[in-house]
Amino acid sequence: MEIDPFIFRLSIFILSIFIGYYVVWSVTPSLHTPLMSVTNAISSVIIVGAIIAGLSGSLENVFDIPNIFGFFAIFLAAINIFGGFLVTQRMLQMYKKKKKDK
Amino acid sequence: MSANLSAIFYLVSGVLFILALRGLSSPETSRRGNFFGILGMTIAITVTFLSIGNFSSGFIYVLIFLLIGGSIGAFVAFKIPMTAMPELVAGFHSLVGLAAVFVAISAFLNPEVFNLGTVGNIKLASLIEMSIGAAIGAITFSGSIIAFLKLRGIMSGSPITFKGQHYINLLLGLSIIVLIFYLCKTQSDSIFWGIIAISFLLGLLLIIPIGGADMPVVISMLNSYSGWAAAGIGFTLENTALIITGALVGSSGAILSYIMCKGMNRSFFNVILGGFGITEQSSSNKGKEQKPVKSGNAEDAAFLMNSASSVIIVPGYGMAVAQAQHALREMVDKLKKNDVRVSYAIHPVAGRMPGHMNVLLAEANVPYDEVFELEEINNDFSNADVAFVIGANDVTNPVAKTDPESPIYGMPVLDVEKCKSVLFVKRSLSPGYAGIDNDLFYRENTLMLFADAKKMTEDITKNL
C-alpha cells in the first residue's frame, strides 16, 4: 500500500517542532524580543499562499473575489516581512560588547 | 519550474529559517542569523513566482501590494521607539493571523488554483486543514488586537471579567469543532464564514480577562498561535517551507510562554483564565496599617552610590514607561568613572514582553555583558553595596519567599533585600500589579526615592 503524502508532511511538521524546541531553548534570554520579531517575520512566509491566490485570476478579470483576498493577504504579509526583519536588524545592531578601552 | 525543484527550494528556505533562529543563541551570531532569515524569505517568494510562471494578469497588482505593504512595514520598523516593541509585536501577530484567514478564504473560494478539488467538492483533508488554519488565524488576529490595545493603553490594562466567561469560551471553542465537522459534510459557504466569525469572537473573549502585567505570556502565546495557523495553511498548500516555519514559530512561542509562566510561578491555565490581581486587592487593603517608611532625595542616593564599591541595577516596566533607560546609562557612566562596579539584574518577567528590558538597555548602549539574568546574579546581591530598583516592584518582593498566603508565593524573586542598602525609585507606595504590598518598602536598609524614574535618575547624576 502506498503511503499518503500527508504522512510525509506530518513527519516534517513533527520533526520541525522538535527542531524548534531545541533551537529555541538555546536562544539566550537577552535576545527573546528579537526572537519574537524574527519568528513574526518568518511566519509571514504565508505570503507564498497569498501570491498563488493573487495570481489565480483570469486574464479578463484580475479582481475576482478570491484574488482580492489574496492581494490583501500579500499586503498584510509584506508589512510583516519587511517590518519584522528590519526591526530585528535594528535591535540586533544595538547589542554591543563592552568596549575594551573604556 | 517543476514542482519537485520548487519543493526543494522551499525546503532550503525552511532550513535557512532554522538557521535564523539558531543564530540568536548569541548576539555575535544573531545578525548573520537574521540575514539567513531574509535570504530564506527571498528564496521562497522568488520560487513561488517562478513556479506559477503566469506573469500576465495579476502580476503587476501582486507587486504593487507587495511594495505598498513592504514600505509601510519598513517605515514602521525604522520609526518605532524601542519602548513600543511589545505593541509592535502584538500588531504584527494580528497581521499574520489575518493573512492566514485571507489565504484560507481564498483557497476555499477558489480551490482549483491550489489543487484542492473544486468548489463544493474540496478534498476532506484540505478542508479540515484550511478551516483549522482559518480558525487559529482568526483567534490570533482578534486576540492580538486586544493585546495591542491593552499594551498601547487605548484599552485599560485591568482584566475584564464577567460571570460564566470560561463556559462561554468553552462553548465557542466546542462549536468551532462541531462546525468544522459539519463543514466537512456539507461544504457549505455559510458554515465556513460562521467558523471564522466565531473564532474572531473567541479571540476577543480569550484575551480581555488577562491583565496588563500578564502580557508577556499573552504575546508569547499569540506568537505560538500565529505559528500553528501558518502550519495549518502550510498543510493545505502542501508547502514545506510553511510547515517547517509554522512548527518552529509555534514551538518558539510555546517555550516563551512556558518561561514567562515559570518566571511568575503560575500555571499556564492560571494566566489564561485571567482575572489575576482583582481578588487579592481587597484582602491586602484590609491589613494595611501605617508602617514607617524611610524616604530620601537624589543627594542621599548619589552619596550612597558614590561610596559604594558595587551597585546592582534592577530595571522594570516603570523604567520603560518613564523612558528612563538613557538617563540610567548616563548615571552608570558617571558611577563607573568614580570606580563603582555596576551590573544589571533582569527578572524574566520584567517588562511587557520576553526580553523587553534587555532591548531597552541595549538601545541605551549598555553592553550586553553587563546585563545578567536572575539565576546568574541572584547570589551577588549579598555582596553588593547598593541595589538600585527602578520601575520594578513585584519581582523584588521578599514576601514571595516568606509568606505562603501571598498570591505571589513561590515566584522567583531578585534577592534585593540582601544588599547593604536598597534604593527604590517609585512614584508612590501603591502596590504593584499583583495588588500586594511590597515588604521591601518598610525594611531598615531601604531608602525610598519618590519621583518619576527619569527625573530622579537625572537628579542623581547631577549630584554624583
Side-chain angles (χ1 to χ4, degrees), chain A residues 26 33 40 66 80 89-90 92, chain B residues 22 31 34 77 80 96 106 354:
Chain A
S26 74
T33 300
N40 225 311
N80 247 330
Q89 193 68 21
R90 208 180 124 203
L92 294 177
Chain B
R22 178 70 197 144
R31 280 176 283 264
N34 200 40
I80 192 94
V96 180
S106 187

Side-chain angles (χ1 to χ4, degrees), chain B residues 86-101:
Chain B
E87 298 95 289
L88 180 73
V89 168
F92 278 165
H93 287 157
S94 72
L95 299 183
V96 180
L98 195 58
V101 175

Side-chain angles (χ1 to χ4, degrees), chain B residues 138-158:
Chain B
I139 293 173
T140 312
F141 170 69
S142 54
S144 301
I145 293 285
I146 299 292
F148 175 84
L149 294 176
K150 284 194 172 190
L151 287 165
R152 192 84 215 155
I154 298 169
M155 208 173 129
S156 152
S158 56

Side-chain angles (χ1 to χ4, degrees), chain B residues 255-269:
Chain B
I255 290 172
L256 289 176
S257 325
Y258 170 78
I259 295 174
M260 294 299 113
C261 288
K262 225 177 122 221
M264 297 191 283
N265 189 38
R266 289 168 58 198
S267 75
F268 183 68
F269 284 102

Side-chain angles (χ1 to χ4, degrees), chain A residues 5-37:
Chain A
F6 172 79
I7 304 299
F8 290 117
R9 285 191 283 276
L10 189 68
S11 318
I12 294 172
F13 179 63
I14 304 287
L15 291 175
S16 303
I17 292 178
F18 277 92
I19 293 173
Y21 180 85
Y22 289 108
V23 169
V24 171
W25 271 117
S26 74
V27 171
T28 167
S30 66
L31 292 176
H32 275 165
T33 300
L35 172 67
M36 301 203 82
S37 59

Side-chain angles (χ1 to χ4, degrees), chain B residues 80-87 319-321 323 325 356 360 363:
Chain B
I80 192 94
M82 282 299 141
T83 40
M85 275 318 289
E87 298 95 289
M319 180 188 80
V321 176
Q323 306 255 15
Q325 66 271 31
H356 191 186
L360 292 183
E363 187 200 12

